[in-house]
């Protein structure tokens, strides 16, 4: 056993690890799921001359940057029309994709 004790005395401590630069992750902006009120507001802003949205239903796959919406206009309570919402260029709001086609409905 004395040989082991002597061998341990001659070892130098391991050098301390040098700090490494870390890159901070960019903050991820998460948008709320689009609901009936949000879609009606977006449609009214995007298509001011169109009939008001009477009903809508939007769904978004987890993590997707688009949402699929069905909606009715005026007195119609049936989801007859389709629109896609996408994340704006700034990443902080929903916008209607292909607004020209949606407003022409």
């Amino acid at each position: 056993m004395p040989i082991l004790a002597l061998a341990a005395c001659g070892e130098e401590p391991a050098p301390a690890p040098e700090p490494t630069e870390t890159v901070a992750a960019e903050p991820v902006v998460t948008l709320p799921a689009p609901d009936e009120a949000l879609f009606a507001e977006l449609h009214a802003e995007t298509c001011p001359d169109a009939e008001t949205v009477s009903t809508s239903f939007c769904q978004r796959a987890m993590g997707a940057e688009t949402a699929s919406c069905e909606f009715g206009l005026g007195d119609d309570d049936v989801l007859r029309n389709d629109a896609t919402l996408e994340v704006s260029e700034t990443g902080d709001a929903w916008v209607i994709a292909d607004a020209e086609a949606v407003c022409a409905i």
Side-chain angles (χ1 to χ4, degrees):
M1 293 284 192
I3 297 174
L4 292 176
L6 291 175
C9 291
E11 290 184 23
E12 293 184 25
E18 292 187 28
T20 57
E21 256 185 68
T22 56
V23 178
E26 287 190 33
V28 176
V29 176
T30 55
L31 295 175
D35 59 11
E36 190 169 13
L38 176 66
F39 183 79
E41 180 182 327
L42 287 173
H43 190 272
E45 289 173 2
T46 307
C47 311
D49 297 330
E51 290 186 84
T52 59
V53 172
S54 59
T55 187
S56 67
F57 175 75
C58 297
Q59 55 189 3
R60 173 185 182 196
M62 188 181 307
E65 298 211 1
T66 61
S68 175
C69 300
E70 296 177 325
F71 63 100
L73 296 172
D75 295 330
D76 195 357
D77 288 336
V78 179
L79 304 171
R80 298 181 194 277
N81 308 297
D82 297 314
T84 299
L85 300 183
E86 61 188 5
V87 178
S88 67
E89 289 181 14
T90 58
D92 60 353
W94 289 108
V95 294
I96 296 178
D98 196 10
E100 188 175 311
V102 173
C103 292
I105 297 173

